Amino acid sequence: MLEIKGLEVKLEEEDKQILKGVDLSVEAGSVHAIMGPNGSGKSTLSYVLSGRDGYEVTGGSATLNGEDLLDIEPEERAAKGLFLAFQYPVEIPGVGNMTFLRTALNAQRKLRGEEEISSADFLKLVRAKAKDLKIDAEMLKRPVNVGFSGGEKKRNEILQMAMLEPKMCILDETDSGLDVDAMKLVSDGVNALRDEGRAFLVITHYQRLLDHIKPDVVHIMANGRIIKTGGPELALEVEKNGYADILSEVA
Amino acid sequence: MAAQLKPKLDALEARLASLSLPEGGWSAPARQDALARLGATGLPNARDEYWKYTRPDTLVAREAPAAAVFEASETPIFSGRDRLKITFVDGVFDPEQSDALELEGIAIERLAEAGTKDIHWAKDLYGVLEARGQSPVERPLAALNTAFATDGILIHVTGTPSKPVSLVYIHKDEGSDAILHHAVKVETGAEITLLENGPAAARFNKVLEVDVADGGKFHHVRAQGRDHERRAATHIFARLGEESLFKSFTMTANGVLTRNECVIEFTGDDAVAHVAGASMGDGDFHHDDTVFITHDAVNCESRQVFKKVLRNGATGVFQGKILVKKDAQKTDGYQISQSLLLDDDSQFLAKPELEIYADDVACSHGSTSGAIDDTALYYLRSRGVPLREAQDLLTLAFLAEALDEIEDDSLADEIRERLDGWLARRRG
């Protein structure tokens, strides 16, 4: 599904290398987790893959189902099935949540050469998906993420994911700012989307999210590289001992 | 002083040479008074402080600069709604394209019939609010209008009509120079909605006087554009009685020169006035909103919300003043003017002013210029919305606060759809 080879990335504005050769392969149907200390490059990886400005790729490649990701626009990446659940979902005053969802869904369909969804079908779909995530009509009517609590914002991200049905989902610290109940709600939303044809890359600091969204593979990232890869037990080891042991072991 | 006045009087003399005073009837004294006011001020020029950001040359010139007739491909706005339609072609009333001037709750007259018909209630209104609005700032183009207006609609509102009065302007002649003067008197407890749309003429000078008595309500929604070569100077003069409501919203698209002045005076306590504008234009687009609100009563609320989207070197101007007189306690005044600059060449010139003599008031003002929020743009694109469409969505979102000032949801929706359509058309 997602193949990253030797990916090197620096900041566009300053001479600062963030990713120093990331290799990662995520197969369809699997859940991979990336853990790592602050500043290791986890969020940068998610931004570069989704096409945010401000980064320069200096080496390596990233493909989605064999197609190059890095040379195309963010909207084209989305239409090809890439989705990033933001660590800090963006507030957009003046744009209603429903308008946003419908515009995004139809834009993707159009880019893929598909028919736009009818208003009736859209309403039916959004109501059903919103209900599962306990998102009420009031939240759907409000401007995108404006006045939403931390938990509401994250639920809104998962709602978008459920509506857009991407193939490759990247979750960037989706657990940050969530209480126990919200974490369960969000995790249930993600688990409901687990599917043979879909893959997840879950970026997190903590093991606790991985109790709910059980990963098949766990990677440890530090200093712009994946330094260790293992099974779910690797996350438990980090939770118990921190990163120090792993870091020194690799060094 | 005399040296400064001389060129203004010379300009007036040149302008008057191409005008003739209409047969006045009941309006004759008001026209004479206006002419006298004009004789004292002359016409504005680039050295006037009040015209610092907008050149009045073409507005005061003897002849109207030619403007190509704009052929819109879309159906005119408001045409789908139940309304009383009154049409002016190049500033001339067109009975063929107008409904009968009859509607329960209001009386409608035409200014052009002033010479032959006595309309006693209009006598106390025509030119009166315009004259009050000449101080402390001169507005010579409005005085010129009162003196020389060839037609206009006079509405006496005594009830609550079932549908809006809709003024439709059509531009046919490339050199047309229209001067229209409308006046609306809203009696105690009465309520009306006035709509305006369409390109009026190559050059358009329009005055709208609105006198709202105690508890009366006046709603105004205007759509200017998309004709580009026109030059328009419009004035609204409103006087608000106790517990009255005044709401005016203007959407403007395109136009090499548009100056919309709005002069509001609170004379009764507990009244509310909201004036808002959403405009967008490209290149040599020049749009000026000039507002002057005088609080001379207790516990009144005024809001000014102006938003401009500027690209390819377009210019936006905002001059907004709130004057709170000594006894106007508990005044709540709010003013915001913002521009969205879509490139480095466009400019927004803002002059917000507060002048407050009462001590128990809440007045605030703000003015900003900014570009499209990159983070919001990235967020939208990451969800599959293409760049241009995402920019347009954020452009509409920027204008939304001004549209919120329209009280009637269906009118607000119609304006929003129109803006959306215009943006989509440009996107191709």
Side-chain angles (χ1 to χ4, degrees):
Chain A
M1 174 82 62
L2 180 67
E3 287 288 340
I4 303 172
K5 284 183 186 148
L7 187 62
E8 293 175 21
V9 171
K10 69 182 266 297
L11 288 180
E12 221 166 51
E13 299 282 310
E14 36 183 312
D15 200 24
K16 190 178 173 191
Q17 199 73 30
I18 311 281
L19 300 184
K20 300 169 182 170
V22 173
D23 292 293
L24 185 65
S25 175
V26 182
E27 321 77 48
S30 69
V31 175
H32 285 225
I34 297 185
M35 302 181 77
N38 290 326
S40 56
K42 305 187 298 294
S43 286
T44 295
L45 178 64
S46 72
Y47 290 147
V48 168
L49 290 175
S50 69
R52 186 174 194 152
D53 281 346
Y55 301 98
E56 188 187 330
V57 176
T58 52
S61 67
T63 59
L64 184 65
N65 289 323
E67 289 184 276
D68 179 35
L69 265 184
L70 302 176
D71 264 353
I72 58 176
E73 300 296 336
E75 54 268 32
E76 294 171 302
R77 302 181 196 199
K80 287 191 189 297
L82 186 78
F83 181 93
L84 169 64
F86 281 52
Q87 182 181 3
Y88 304 108
V90 180
E91 296 186 8
I92 312 183
V95 177
N97 217 6
M98 288 287 255
T99 305
F100 169 62
L101 284 169
R102 198 176 56 235
T103 306
L105 187 57
N106 280 331
Q108 289 204 14
R109 285 179 172 229
K110 216 167 133 188
L111 282 170
R112 288 195 293 259
E114 298 165 12
E115 290 254 328
E116 291 198 352
I117 189 168
S118 76
S119 294
D121 288 349
F122 170 77
L123 273 178
K124 220 157 88 184
L125 190 65
V126 76
R127 282 195 187 126
K129 307 269 190 199
K131 198 173 163 218
D132 293 341
L133 289 157
K134 298 205 170 121
I135 289 173
D136 59 22
E138 178 58 29
M139 242 176 95
L140 288 173
K141 261 194 271 174
R142 293 206 312 241
V144 180
N145 293 324
V146 177
F148 287 24
S149 70
E152 286 174 333
K153 282 181 181 171
K154 295 299 171 78
R155 265 147 59 201
N156 204 29
E157 292 293 288
I158 305 305
L159 173 65
Q160 292 164 38
M161 193 161 91
M163 291 293 295
L164 297 170
E165 299 185 316
K167 296 192 187 97
M168 179 70 230
C169 309
I170 304 172
L171 278 64
D172 188 8
E173 300 201 20
T174 294
D175 51 337
S176 68
L178 292 188
D179 60 32
V180 180
D181 294 337
M183 174 115 67
K184 173 127 192 359
L185 208 57
V186 163
S187 305
D188 288 349
V190 171
N191 288 330
L193 286 167
R194 290 185 71 159
D195 182 274
E196 281 306 303
R198 186 171 287 133
F200 291 85
L201 185 59
V202 181
I203 296 171
T204 182
H205 274 294
Y206 304 105
Q207 152 67 21
R208 59 175 193 167
L209 179 66
L210 304 180
D211 285 339
H212 297 284
I213 306 172
K214 296 202 174 351
D216 302 303
V217 182
V218 175
H219 309 273
I220 305 298
M221 193 164 177
N223 197 19
R225 281 191 195 91
I226 305 270
I227 56 164
K228 191 169 184 181
T229 295
E233 73 286 348
L234 192 53
L236 293 168
E237 189 189 325
V238 167
E239 183 74 6
K240 211 167 123 202
N241 305 326
Y243 294 110
D245 287 1
I246 300 170
L247 289 174
S248 59
E249 167 191 327
V250 174
Chain B
M1 183 66 199
Q4 280 174 19
L5 192 56
K6 176 97 177 34
K8 296 164 88 169
L9 293 176
D10 291 346
L12 177 62
E13 198 183 324
R15 180 74 180 100
L16 293 186
S18 62
L19 290 166
S20 58
L21 212 55
E23 196 184 331
W26 61 262
S27 71
R31 291 179 189 272
Q32 286 298 341
D33 286 353
L35 200 55
R37 285 195 289 281
L38 202 51
T41 61
L43 288 173
N45 61 33
R47 292 167 72 183
D48 276 88
E49 180 64 24
Y50 215 49
W51 290 88
K52 193 173 170 185
Y53 304 125
T54 297
R55 289 183 69 95
D57 318 28
T58 52
L59 296 173
V60 305
R62 190 189 151 129
E63 304 292 338
V69 172
F70 174 77
E71 302 287 348
S73 47
E74 71 261 28
T75 50
I77 192 167
F78 308 140
S79 53
R81 54 180 67 234
D82 190 20
R83 58 178 176 163
L84 188 130
K85 179 182 171 190
I86 302 172
T87 305
F88 292 91
V89 178
D90 289 317
V92 178
F93 174 70
D94 182 359
E96 296 291 311
Q97 298 189 69
S98 300
D99 296 327
L101 303 185
E102 288 166 5
L103 186 61
E104 200 178 324
I106 61 175
I108 306 176
E109 303 287 351
R110 283 179 52 214
L111 177 64
E113 290 173 346
T116 55
K117 204 168 165 183
D118 191 37
I119 312 167
H120 63 94
W121 58 265
K123 238 183 288 188
D124 303 331
L125 183 56
Y126 186 79
V128 172
L129 301 186
E130 176 263 300
R132 291 177 74 94
Q134 294 289 346
S135 165
V137 186
E138 295 167 4
R139 304 174 201 279
L141 288 169
L144 180 113
N145 179 297
T146 299
F148 294 99
T150 49
D151 208 347
I153 286 298
L154 310 162
I155 308 174
H156 190 203
V157 188
T158 50
T160 302
S162 59
K163 53 188 174 187
V165 172
S166 178
L167 305 180
V168 176
Y169 305 116
I170 296 172
H171 175 206
K172 275 199 162 162
D173 184 318
E174 291 199 349
S176 59
D177 192 13
I179 306 180
L180 291 179
H181 192 124
H182 309 302
V184 182
K185 180 158 181 59
V186 183
E187 294 292 357
T188 302
E191 179 169 5
I192 191 172
T193 298
L194 181 71
L195 308 176
E196 290 184 276
N197 74 285
R203 182 168 67 180
F204 190 32
N205 180 333
K206 192 200 67 185
V207 165
L208 167 65
E209 292 179 286
V210 184
D211 199 11
V212 189
D214 297 350
K217 290 178 181 170
F218 177 81
H219 304 275
H220 178 224
V221 177
R222 164 168 63 167
Q224 293 174 318
R226 293 186 286 133
D227 58 322
H228 187 60
E229 295 181 12
R230 64 137 195 285
R231 288 170 168 84
T234 78
H235 290 81
I236 297 172
F237 295 96
R239 177 168 61 184
L240 305 181
E242 204 173 297
E243 291 183 12
S244 64
L245 175 79
F246 172 94
K247 280 196 151 193
S248 175
F249 170 86
T250 301
M251 166 177 73
T252 309
N254 303 347
V256 287
L257 180 53
T258 307
R259 164 116 156 181
N260 293 329
E261 295 197 29
C262 185
V263 183
I264 297 171
E265 186 185 8
F266 287 99
T267 55
D269 299 343
D270 308 310
V272 172
H274 292 185
V275 48
S279 61
M280 54 184 194
D282 280 40
D284 54 357
F285 172 82
H286 182 106
H287 188 277
D288 176 337
D289 283 300
T290 290
V291 182
F292 198 113
I293 297 181
T294 304
H295 284 264
D296 197 10
V298 175
N299 197 36
C300 291
E301 175 196 310
S302 70
R303 271 175 77 84
Q304 304 169 47
V305 180
F306 288 90
K307 302 263 188 167
K308 297 181 203 294
V309 179
L310 306 167
R311 76 169 90 197
N312 296 328
T315 302
V317 175
F318 175 78
Q319 303 189 100
K321 176 153 182 172
I322 305 174
L323 170 63
V324 182
K325 293 204 172 173
K326 190 163 69 71
D327 297 321
Q329 301 296 1
K330 307 282 179 198
T331 286
D332 181 1
Y334 173 77
Q335 178 194 89
I336 183 90
S337 65
Q338 294 180 309
S339 72
L340 182 64
L341 303 175
L342 296 178
D343 53 59
D344 294 339
D345 302 328
S346 300
Q347 59 171 345
F348 178 54
L349 306 160
K351 194 170 94 175
E353 285 181 284
L354 297 178
E355 192 176 334
I356 302 171
Y357 297 99
D359 51 20
D360 183 15
V361 301
C363 281
S364 62
H365 67 85
S367 184
T368 64
S369 286
I372 280 192
D373 178 355
D374 280 340
T375 311
L377 199 61
Y378 161 59
Y379 190 61
L380 287 169
R381 295 179 77 189
S382 80
R383 296 303 180 247
V385 184
L387 175 63
R388 296 281 305 273
E389 204 176 334
Q391 283 170 336
D392 288 348
L393 200 59
L394 293 173
T395 300
L396 271 184
F398 165 77
L399 295 173
E401 192 189 351
L403 269 62
D404 286 345
E405 297 299 322
I406 304 171
E407 190 153 298
D408 181 314
D409 285 344
S410 77
L411 282 170
D413 287 345
E414 193 169 356
I415 294 282
R416 193 173 292 110
E417 280 165 24
R418 199 48 65 134
L419 286 166
D420 195 23
W422 287 343
L423 288 167
R425 185 183 301 267
R426 181 153 57 186
R427 213 158 58 222

